[in-house]
Amino acid sequence: MAHFYVTTPIYYVNDVPHIGHAYTTITADALARWHRLLGDDVFFLTGTDEHGLKVQRAADTKGLTPRQHADQTSERFREAWRLLDISNDDFIRTTEPRHYEAVQTLLQAVYDNGWIELGTYEGLYCVSCEAYYNEDDLLPGNLCPIHRRPVELFKEDNYFFKLSAFQQPLLDWYASHPEMVQPDSKRNEAIGLIRQGLQDISISRTSINWGVPVPWDPGHVFYVWYDALINYATAVGYGSDRQRFDTWWPAVHHLIGKDILRFHCVYWPAMLLAAGEAPPRHVHVHGFLLVGGEKMSKTAFNQIAPADLVPEFGVDGYRYHFLRDQAFGPDGEFSYEGMVARYNADLANNLGNLLSRVATVVAKQCGGVGPAPAPDSALAAVAASVWSAARAGWERVAPSDALEATWRLVRETNSALEAAQPWKLQPGPEVDAVMGDALEALRIVALLASPAIPKSSEEIWRRIGLTGAVGPLDRQRLPAAAEWGGYPGGLPVEKGTPLFPRIKPPYNADR
Ligand code: MSP
């Protein structure tokens, strides 16, 4: 059985979940669901990143221990993912004992292999980024370029990872694994960073204690990023269950935003090589969702939370928009009007309308019982080409292409109905043939769209009578289930309320 391991970044526990975090998570979720339909053994991981000075300080301000603080704030991510119907198999918190064990095991291996040494570090640190900056990269007034807050001068004994020794091994690795980082522009960016020359990096701190202790020198804790990256190994058994680890690693798919490319495409593979492990097989990098032309941030006051949009669009309306309209790769501007337009066009008009039309005609002209499709229907060829385009889209982590392809079948089926006008015909074989084809098309659409709109797809499946006769949607297996002819006919078709009620202007008069 094929294995499919997909991860999101672990989100900073101090942040409030916003549509940018949700974007990566929903994409990972849709991929996980697609692979489950293919019958793969899937492991989908997300979680929260809970160490570091920022968390320690936030906890101090609230008069809580860092752990109490993280317990409260980590929950916000779990809540957001419940709201968005995220089907993660695990939720890792970096403060869990299993993670301490994995971090200590991995970095001890790097140390034992001779790739870590003690040194002194002096530098300008942005607490919000949890990162040191070169003076050249700062804004005038020594401000962090991302947070526009003053950086602080830190000086301390640090352990250093000898990253400089990995320049050539990394270049060799990239040369022999050309598919590792996608899209190509991002792979080139990673290779460019490596070619520029790599400096040794500081991986421990003595100035704080909210972190994983360095096993050979417990006065130090690991710097938050080097603990965080290891979460991907922890969750599949690194340091506790070698066999399990080898089942899932290194064939992982990391989904990340472009802001953390250096960590995932340079530092992480180097750390793994230094520990004697294989680097991750796939890193898929996407751009930013911009709001008003800017990256969302607390300081820009432009954050939008999933919970701001779900009441109006529904969970599936929300998921569909981000998967369909925000192509995976480039930056994309979020627009409320664009979201309404897409919802109304694809969900309310195209898919919602198709379902209600079919149910109405079947009720009136077929006695409420869905007829079987014709094997030689013109829509069969459309369905076959849609299936291969959708599969290709999901395979290359292009959900927008996969959904665009899937909606071709919706549109073609609506056109076929408009051409045949079954609502004007007398009950009989002609109507049955048209309606059987439309039901079969709906069955295939429900299946192929289910990674994006799981609840609505299940509802379509149920309304056209499949749950009892064919079995639950999530038990169907591709590719067989996508073949034309799976709708058995003779099933009760239910008329229901609109699946995607149209959103009418004035959209947000009371906001
Ligand atoms: N904790 C680190 C990641 C450690 S992974 C070992 C971190 N966390 S974060 O909370 O800042 O989240 C980073 C990820 O959230 C980004 O890489 C991206 O996937 C997602 N996004 C955050 N803001 C985003 C946008 N505005 N647009 C799209 N995705 C964004 O960095």
Side-chain angles (χ1 to χ4, degrees), residues 8-13 15 18-25 48-50 54 77 94 224-225 227-232 255-261 263-264 286-291 294-297 331-332:
T8 74
I10 48 172
Y11 303 105
Y12 284 131
V13 80
D15 290 351
H18 60 56
I19 59 175
H21 305 121
Y23 177 69
T24 321
T25 310
T48 41
D49 189 353
E50 307 192 351
K54 203 169 23 165
F77 281 90
T94 52
V224 55
W225 260 105
D227 125 34
L229 287 162
I230 296 170
N231 88 86
Y232 304 128
L255 265 54
I256 62 163
K258 65 180 186 181
D259 49 337
I260 54 179
L261 178 139
F263 289 98
H264 285 78
H286 66 75
F288 289 150
L289 275 182
L290 306 175
V291 174
E294 277 198 67
K295 183 171 189 256
M296 272 174 292
S297 70
D331 286 352

Side-chain angles (χ1 to χ4, degrees), residues 227-308:
D227 125 34
L229 287 162
I230 296 170
N231 88 86
Y232 304 128
T234 307
V236 289
Y238 184 84
S240 61
D241 183 344
R242 185 73 216 187
Q243 205 185 342
R244 179 157 177 255
F245 181 66
D246 289 338
T247 305
W248 297 102
W249 198 267
V252 64
H253 292 257
H254 290 320
L255 265 54
I256 62 163
K258 65 180 186 181
D259 49 337
I260 54 179
L261 178 139
R262 180 192 294 269
F263 289 98
H264 285 78
C265 303
V266 182
Y267 299 173
W268 179 222
M271 282 163 70
L272 286 159
L273 287 173
E277 303 293 345
R281 202 53 65 70
H282 310 278
V283 184
H284 305 279
V285 188
H286 66 75
F288 289 150
L289 275 182
L290 306 175
V291 174
E294 277 198 67
K295 183 171 189 256
M296 272 174 292
S297 70
K298 278 184 205 158
T299 40
F301 293 106
N302 61 352
Q303 290 191 344
I304 301 171
D308 297 334

